[in-house]
Amino acid sequence: MLKWVLAAAAIAAAPFTASAQDVEAGAAVFKKCAACHQVGADAKNGLGPSLNCVAGKPAGHHEGFAYSEAVKNSGITWTDDNLLHWMEKDDAVIKGNKMIFPAGVKNEDDRKNLLAYIKSQCKE
């Protein structure tokens, strides 16, 4: 009986363990983004805007970056859900944006880890 109780407890706990965000894994996923974006203490705008402290901000907010009209006029706030959807398929979130990453980040865990990494770099 004890084995069944322990097994049930392990199964019940598994989704919480499996869904935990992994900042270190997110840093590895960010390598796909690093050709265009920077994040961290010395981050600057490049081909894409700096992603420092993007979570919770309105789309098109980084000063000095030439955003598309679509992004500037989107009215979107970068909630976790919007960022996760953007990472998967940016055109589904803001049609007509100029991001050039058509593959997106297809794996849900990779997107969650990537978001955790980006958010961990915010020092505001």
Side-chain angles (χ1 to χ4, degrees):
M1 178 69 169
L2 181 59
K3 288 181 186 178
W4 287 105
V5 171
L6 292 175
I11 290 170
F16 299 107
T17 303
S19 68
Q21 296 166 345
D22 185 338
V23 171
E24 194 170 307
V29 176
F30 187 77
K31 290 177 183 177
K32 296 177 184 180
C33 311
C36 298
H37 297 282
Q38 294 182 21
V39 68
D42 298 322
K44 295 175 179 50
N45 293 328
L47 187 55
S50 162
L51 298 179
N52 279 353
C53 304
V54 69
K57 302 278 175 72
H61 78 280
H62 277 290
E63 196 170 311
F65 186 77
Y67 288 97
S68 67
E69 289 300 314
V71 171
K72 287 192 288 188
N73 299 320
S74 68
I76 287 179
T77 296
W78 290 125
T79 63
D80 287 1
D81 284 342
N82 282 338
L83 284 165
L84 291 168
H85 286 109
W86 176 269
M87 292 171 188
E88 181 179 19
K89 189 169 173 71
D90 57 278
D91 278 341
V93 178
I94 302 175
K95 296 211 182 301
N97 76 77
K98 63 183 183 180
M99 189 162 117
I100 52 172
F101 190 58
V105 179
K106 299 302 180 205
N107 181 282
E108 182 179 5
D109 287 336
D110 284 350
R111 290 191 305 273
K112 289 178 180 178
N113 293 337
L114 177 56
L115 180 57
Y117 171 69
I118 291 170
K119 289 173 81 172
S120 77
Q121 300 302 299
C122 181
K123 304 304 180 202
E124 283 185 352

